[in-house]
């Protein structure tokens, strides 16, 4: 289990399968749902552009659901192997430099994240 935040990126880079968990106050969650418009809360899933790791957020963050998700990932088998492969792809996305020689390639992943953030902000302001 990993709390949502930069720790998910660190866990992804380590390559160990995990489940993202996160819970905030009901008021904070209600406000965030209205303001934040992203398909995932986990940085790993946002970077991948798809769900790589399960997210147990707010009311989904229960002992039963944690056990169910972790039981799928603990033994060797297709679910665990699939997540390991997808985490390796995320690692590659973070370490690969784009082929262009522009400013975004000079800073690697940090510059690319900044560029994506600025683009998203521009799209939201239109």
């Amino acid at each position: 289990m990993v709390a949502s935040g930069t720790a998910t990126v660190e866990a992804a880079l380590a390559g160990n399968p995990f489940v993202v968990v996160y819970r905030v106050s009901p008021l904070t969650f209600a406000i965030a749902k209205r303001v934040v418009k992203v398909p995932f809360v986990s940085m790993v899933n946002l970077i991948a552009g798809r769900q790589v790791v399960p997210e147990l957020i707010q009311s989904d963050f229960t002992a039963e659901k944690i056990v169910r998700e972790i039981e799928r990932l603990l033994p060797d088998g297709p679910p665990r192997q699939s997540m390991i492969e997808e985490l390796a792809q995320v690692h590659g996305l973070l370490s690969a430099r784009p082929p262009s020689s522009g400013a975004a390639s000079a800073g690697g992943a940090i510059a690319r994240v900044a560029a994506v953030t600025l683009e998203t902000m521009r799209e939201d302001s239109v």
Side-chain angles (χ1 to χ4, degrees):
M1 288 187 324
V2 178
S4 183
T6 55
T8 63
V9 176
E10 293 174 29
L13 294 176
N16 284 331
F18 62 96
V19 177
V20 174
V21 295
Y22 200 70
R23 184 179 301 154
V24 294
S25 75
L27 178 60
T28 301
F29 186 70
I31 292 169
K33 285 290 276 185
R34 300 185 108 213
V35 176
V36 179
K37 302 294 181 193
V38 292
F40 308 105
V41 299
S42 157
M43 292 178 71
V44 169
N45 290 341
L46 290 169
I47 291 165
R50 65 187 188 288
Q51 185 169 326
V52 171
V53 295
E55 297 182 354
L56 300 177
I57 311 302
Q58 269 328 85
S59 61
D60 286 334
F61 183 5
T62 65
E64 295 81 18
K65 289 182 180 183
I66 291 168
V67 168
R68 183 175 60 229
E69 292 294 340
I70 290 182
E71 281 181 336
R72 287 180 346 96
L73 298 173
L74 281 178
D76 286 333
R80 179 179 180 81
Q81 189 57 40
S82 175
M83 187 179 293
I84 289 170
E85 291 167 5
E86 291 184 273
L87 292 173
Q89 291 174 7
V90 170
H91 187 284
L93 288 171
L94 290 171
S95 59
R97 293 185 184 254
S100 73
S101 60
S105 65
I110 293 171
R112 291 195 312 275
V113 169
V116 168
T117 302
L118 288 172
E119 183 61 30
T120 301
M121 290 171 63
R122 286 187 196 108
E123 290 172 0
D124 288 347
S125 67
V126 175

